[in-house]
Amino acid sequence: MVASLDALEAARLVERLARLVRMRALKGGLNPAQWEALRYLARANRFSRTPAAIAEYLASTRGTVSRTLASLEEKGYVARRADSEDGRSVNLALTRKAMDALKRDPLLTLAEDLEAGARGRMGDMAAGLKGALKAAIARNGTRAFDACFSCRHFRKDAHAGAAMPHHCGLLDAPLSDSDSRAICVEQEPMRA
Amino acid sequence: MVASLDALEAARLVERLARLVRMRALKGGLNPAQWEALRYLARANRFSRTPAAIAEYLASTRGTVSRTLASLEEKGYVARRADSEDGRSVNLALTRKAMDALKRDPLLTLAEDLEAGARGRMGDMAAGLKGALKAAIARNGTRAFDACFSCRHFRKDAHAGAAMPHHCGLLDAPLSDSDSRAICVEQEPMRA
DNA sequence: TCAATATGATTTCGAGTAGCAATCATGGTC
DNA sequence: GACCATGATTGCTACTCGAAATCATATTGA
């Protein structure tokens, strides 16, 4: 695969836009890694809100993430709680303060800028970027962290009518509608 | 301006793709800021290869950039030379080693992934991202760092036939063809 | 049963980076 | 020639990262 000039230009723009967001984000007292951890936690389902999952999502290490979380906890953005079933594991939750902060996420202004720049072709653009991520993931062999409902282990309406109507065949656990829309560390795409 | 769900998704993808590049880049012994400085220098014209211009391009500070450059010089990637006309100013040049490194720039793999993801709509995608950058620049009031030939001070073929056929009306200096394609710290778009 | 091992998380340590403010050097102005 | 502006660097402090060591809790298997 050889990249066109347009592709190279696009790659530079992706990098530069991301840098602008990162630099802006710093002024809020949170560093880029901290912001990304908050964003991840806001989107992850209950099986995926752990330090190890964050480390994998961020392509970082557990040690680094542990410190990031310690800092976020000290500042009042996340709560850590030992898992009731596995004493080694830690469950994370966002505080009210974190939810409020996310409403002013600098990433939202990037979204607005993209909306302005795409001029009605936002759908194509999002699809293209998504395809690029897919390619990157295939290349690196990392996890996709995609939506639960798009997973090969997802059993839609396995408990039809119940409050948690769906089911995860891998974790053998019932899933609510909102669970199914969240991203999951275990997500694997459908077989081709 | 309110951002659509597609726009939000796209913003997340931009951030995540950029993070993957940054993380991959670390393994080469250069940090993200150092990579971006090299990329900038490879594209900047002779008026723009200075510490101050890099600081502005990266939305960083001169102090930080000074250290970044010291590190790059120590590792043999850039050469610093005092400007012959202004003794305060420093001119930067990439070494052979830097040119070689840029041939293996992790950003190139992002370009390939984008090419794969865009499925033939790469032109639209690059245009959309460019529009987004324009919006971000307008919002922040930062410099555009766009191509010399797209500048309001550019005088095409002011010295027709000469080795440096074009001219910059702001700096009052002749420009070669390759100068005119490079990016410039002083670039200002045409008046509307 | 209980050692050996695997796993999740944290801590320690060292290298490096960031921003801010102070400083140095040079250039331009009145 | 005093004064201020500008480009760059440096001292300082705080913080971040990654690698490796450590701790605690499962899990496995003899």
Side-chain angles (χ1 to χ4, degrees), chain B residues 71-91:
Chain B
S71 172
L72 284 172
E73 185 174 39
E74 192 186 351
K75 292 179 197 163
Y77 288 97
V78 310
R80 295 200 257 196
R81 216 183 65 243
D83 188 292
S84 55
E85 299 186 359
D86 184 338
R88 295 168 302 181
S89 200
V90 166
N91 281 104

Side-chain angles (χ1 to χ4, degrees), chain A residues 6-192:
Chain A
D6 273 341
L8 189 54
E9 170 79 355
R12 286 189 188 123
L13 288 164
V14 164
E15 183 75 12
R16 192 161 166 208
L17 286 167
R19 166 167 274 267
L20 289 178
V21 172
R22 254 180 300 144
M23 286 304 181
R24 171 116 47 99
L26 280 179
K27 318 216 190 257
L30 293 175
N31 68 34
Q34 291 167 351
W35 270 112
E36 300 225 44
L38 292 186
R39 289 176 196 136
Y40 173 82
L41 288 173
R43 298 180 62 217
N45 68 15
R46 63 197 147 101
F47 311 111
S48 308
R49 292 192 287 261
T50 69
I54 295 180
E56 206 161 342
Y57 181 77
L58 297 183
S60 180
T61 64
R62 293 182 183 185
T64 297
V65 168
S66 185
R67 284 184 163 285
T68 297
L69 290 169
S71 172
L72 284 173
E73 186 174 37
E74 191 186 353
K75 292 180 196 161
Y77 288 97
V78 309
R80 297 200 254 197
R81 215 182 67 243
D83 188 292
S84 55
E85 299 187 0
D86 185 336
R88 295 168 302 180
S89 200
V90 166
N91 281 102
L92 302 162
L94 293 180
T95 63
R96 184 89 229 146
K97 184 175 180 184
M99 311 284 197
D100 289 345
L102 284 167
K103 287 188 191 131
R104 292 181 296 279
D105 187 342
L107 199 62
L108 295 173
T109 73
L110 172 56
E112 290 173 20
D113 291 340
L114 286 166
E115 187 82 59
R119 298 176 168 281
R121 316 202 77 125
M122 199 65 245
D124 286 345
M125 191 129 134
L129 290 168
K130 182 133 189 168
L133 181 62
K134 204 173 197 168
I137 282 170
R139 179 207 303 279
N140 296 357
T142 56
R143 290 174 190 262
F145 287 93
D146 211 337
C148 171
F149 66 74
S150 66
C151 176
R152 74 173 57 155
H153 301 116
F154 182 67
R155 307 275 179 271
K156 184 174 171 61
D157 292 321
H159 320 283
M164 298 184 123
H166 318 299
H167 195 82
C168 174
L170 179 69
L171 303 172
D172 192 25
L175 300 165
S176 71
D177 268 330
S178 85
D179 282 339
S180 76
R181 282 190 301 271
I183 62 179
C184 182
V185 61
E186 303 287 2
Q187 195 270 356
E188 294 180 79
M190 306 288 184
R191 284 176 233 274

Side-chain angles (χ1 to χ4, degrees), chain B residues 19-67:
Chain B
R19 165 167 275 268
L20 289 178
V21 172
R22 256 180 297 143
M23 286 303 180
R24 171 118 46 101
L26 280 179
K27 319 218 189 258
L30 293 174
N31 68 33
Q34 291 168 351
W35 270 112
E36 300 223 43
L38 291 185
R39 288 176 197 138
Y40 173 83
L41 289 172
R43 298 179 60 218
N45 68 15
R46 65 198 145 101
F47 311 111
S48 308
R49 293 193 286 262
T50 70
I54 294 180
E56 206 160 340
Y57 181 77
L58 298 183
S60 181
T61 64
R62 292 181 185 185
T64 298
V65 168
S66 184
R67 288 178 198 285

Side-chain angles (χ1 to χ4, degrees), chain B residues 8-168:
Chain B
L8 189 54
E9 169 81 355
R12 286 189 189 122
L13 288 164
V14 164
E15 183 74 13
R16 192 161 164 206
L17 286 167
R19 165 167 275 268
L20 289 178
V21 172
R22 256 180 297 143
M23 286 303 180
R24 171 118 46 101
L26 280 179
K27 319 218 189 258
L30 293 174
N31 68 33
Q34 291 168 351
W35 270 112
E36 300 223 43
L38 291 185
R39 288 176 197 138
Y40 173 83
L41 289 172
R43 298 179 60 218
N45 68 15
R46 65 198 145 101
F47 311 111
S48 308
R49 293 193 286 262
T50 70
I54 294 180
E56 206 160 340
Y57 181 77
L58 298 183
S60 181
T61 64
R62 292 181 185 185
T64 298
V65 168
S66 184
R67 288 178 198 285
T68 296
L69 290 169
S71 172
L72 284 172
E73 185 174 39
E74 192 186 351
K75 292 179 197 163
Y77 288 97
V78 310
R80 295 200 257 196
R81 216 183 65 243
D83 188 292
S84 55
E85 299 186 359
D86 184 338
R88 295 168 302 181
S89 200
V90 166
N91 281 104
L92 301 163
L94 292 180
T95 64
R96 183 90 231 144
K97 184 176 179 183
M99 310 283 199
D100 289 344
L102 283 168
K103 286 187 191 130
R104 292 181 295 279
D105 187 343
L107 199 62
L108 295 173
T109 73
L110 172 57
E112 290 173 21
D113 291 341
L114 286 167
E115 187 83 58
R119 300 178 165 278
R121 317 201 75 122
M122 198 65 246
D124 286 346
M125 190 128 135
L129 290 168
K130 183 134 189 167
L133 181 62
K134 206 173 198 170
I137 283 170
R139 177 206 306 277
N140 296 357
T142 55
R143 291 175 189 261
F145 287 94
D146 212 337
C148 171
F149 66 74
S150 68
C151 176
R152 73 174 58 157
H153 304 295
F154 183 68
R155 308 274 180 268
K156 185 175 172 63
D157 291 320
H159 321 282
M164 296 184 126
H166 318 300
H167 195 81
C168 174

